[in-house]
Amino acid sequence: MKNKMLAMVLAGGQGTRLGKLTRETAKPAVPFGGRYRIIDFVLSNCANSNIKEVGIVTQYEPLELNVHIGNGEPWGLSGHGKGATILQPFTNSQGENWFKGTANAITQNVSFIDSRDPDTVLVLSGDHIYKMDYDAMLKKHIETGADLTVGVLPVDIKEASRFGIMNTDDTGRIIEFEEKPAEPKSNLASMGIYIFNWKKLRKYLLEDKESNEENKEMLDFGHDVIPAFLENNEKIYAYAFNGYWKDVGTIDSLWEANMEFLDPNHSLNIRDDDWRIYSRNMIAPPQFVSKNGEVKESMMADGAYIEGKVAHSIISQNVSLGENSTVKDSVIMANAKIGKNVKIEYAIIGEYANIKDGAQIIGTHDDIHVIGYEEEVGGNDYENE
């Protein structure tokens, strides 16, 4: 019997640690790799895993993200029997219903999930960079007879105290969950990827809330739902993932992931025709490098116009770089305009930024300089902090 799985992507987080880049943009909508946005990776994983329907939960600054997702057509999620549905907070007779946590976001969309009548629900975060076959994880979920399967990533034991850690027995069954333990007992970090049997999860989210004396709501999967499953001896298994996975929640990690993306031997293998990463992009003219322009060890998207020198950097769609300007170890987002005699190193330049002639934007490997979207810098108006 085929298991019908619905994916629910949690994409409502603010992402405050990305500073200027998420001031007016949802974190999953932040550009990545020259022609993608962060959420493209999880949506492409759904498409490549043959998942037909995806609910995307948005809340913080949703406009740009909602427009990018649209009807899901770039990821093959439009058409008969398919769908990408954007789910936002709403008001009803009981008042406002802002999402108060990961589990609460699912609770408030129970009606949507019920309308799709799934056997299992795949819960995903919309702000991680990775390629993963969710169908293989589902097969393991069915094979073990689990009520819940948690995607886990083996990390260096020295780093394990930074994560939620799953402790397992010899069969892979999770017997204990510790949130950022001072002395971790294992190195299996939760990736925030869950497959639940829907009827079981629904019972915990709704029926238990109505029946328990404290009327306690299940707000968060890590803090509430998984501990409750463990307490009631539900069958929870770990599914180990050994590929590339990156949480790009900080400026440093976002820059680092972009630089890693430049490696032609990167394990993400962006040129793999069997697991493509899809996105929504505007049509732009071909890229152009002038007689005096020079580009080395870099990625350039359509519409780029280069009269200066670029080294080990990502140049996004419709970026222009003036004469005698240099860009090194940096990410230039779409439609940024960079004038003449500009020097940029170890920086992230936001979309539609305008860098005037003669400006110097110099960061370091440990202190990446960020210019926000539509920000104008240079000349006498700007000092590199």
Side-chain angles (χ1 to χ4, degrees), residues 158-228:
K158 295 178 182 176
E159 301 290 323
S161 60
R162 296 173 47 224
F163 299 92
I165 295 298
M166 302 291 175
N167 299 320
T168 65
D169 64 16
D170 293 340
T171 68
R173 182 167 178 169
I174 295 173
I175 55 175
E176 186 180 22
F177 170 66
E178 296 178 291
E179 183 68 31
K180 299 179 180 178
E183 296 181 3
K185 300 172 186 174
S186 85
N187 68 336
L188 299 178
S190 173
M191 301 168 68
I193 299 173
Y194 311 108
I195 294 179
F196 287 95
N197 289 342
W198 174 233
K199 289 182 180 177
K200 180 79 69 173
L201 176 61
R202 191 181 191 283
K203 174 179 180 296
Y204 274 80
L205 295 179
L206 296 183
E207 296 178 16
D208 285 359
K209 171 182 175 295
E210 295 170 356
S211 62
N212 73 56
E213 293 181 356
E214 298 176 353
N215 198 30
K216 180 183 177 183
E217 283 188 271
M218 295 280 178
L219 298 181
D220 184 85
F221 286 113
H223 288 97
D224 303 312
V225 177
I226 293 176

Side-chain angles (χ1 to χ4, degrees), residues 42-237:
V42 70
L43 292 179
S44 296
N45 287 341
C46 288
N48 289 316
S49 299
N50 204 30
I51 293 173
K52 307 293 186 185
E53 287 199 75
V54 181
I56 302 108
V57 180
T58 68
Q59 179 166 261
Y60 173 78
E61 292 287 354
L63 178 59
E64 189 173 6
L65 181 60
N66 293 352
V67 170
H68 180 70
I69 295 167
N71 64 354
E73 188 274 335
W75 302 272
L77 294 171
S78 64
H80 181 68
K82 302 178 181 179
T85 303
I86 294 169
L87 303 163
Q88 292 193 246
F90 53 89
T91 60
N92 58 21
S93 59
Q94 298 176 348
E96 296 180 343
N97 289 291
W98 295 104
F99 302 139
K100 292 174 281 190
T102 53
N104 181 256
I106 299 300
T107 303
Q108 294 198 39
N109 287 291
V110 162
S111 297
F112 166 76
I113 299 172
D114 282 345
S115 72
R116 268 54 180 178
D117 192 26
D119 300 299
T120 50
V121 171
L122 170 66
V123 180
L124 302 163
S125 297
D127 51 6
H128 296 148
I129 303 295
Y130 66 110
K131 287 182 176 180
M132 182 174 178
D133 185 352
Y134 304 135
D135 189 51
M137 183 174 173
L138 175 62
K139 288 175 180 172
K140 191 69 175 179
H141 177 82
I142 295 170
E143 178 183 313
T144 58
D147 298 302
L148 162 62
T149 299
V150 182
V152 296
L153 183 75
V155 298
D156 190 321
I157 193 67
K158 295 178 182 176
E159 301 290 323
S161 60
R162 296 173 47 224
F163 299 92
I165 295 298
M166 302 291 175
N167 299 320
T168 65
D169 64 16
D170 293 340
T171 68
R173 182 167 178 169
I174 295 173
I175 55 175
E176 186 180 22
F177 170 66
E178 296 178 291
E179 183 68 31
K180 299 179 180 178
E183 296 181 3
K185 300 172 186 174
S186 85
N187 68 336
L188 299 178
S190 173
M191 301 168 68
I193 299 173
Y194 311 108
I195 294 179
F196 287 95
N197 289 342
W198 174 233
K199 289 182 180 177
K200 180 79 69 173
L201 176 61
R202 191 181 191 283
K203 174 179 180 296
Y204 274 80
L205 295 179
L206 296 183
E207 296 178 16
D208 285 359
K209 171 182 175 295
E210 295 170 356
S211 62
N212 73 56
E213 293 181 356
E214 298 176 353
N215 198 30
K216 180 183 177 183
E217 283 188 271
M218 295 280 178
L219 298 181
D220 184 85
F221 286 113
H223 288 97
D224 303 312
V225 177
I226 293 176
F229 268 51
L230 285 168
E231 184 178 341
N232 292 313
N233 203 32
E234 307 290 3
K235 295 176 69 176
I236 312 176
Y237 281 84

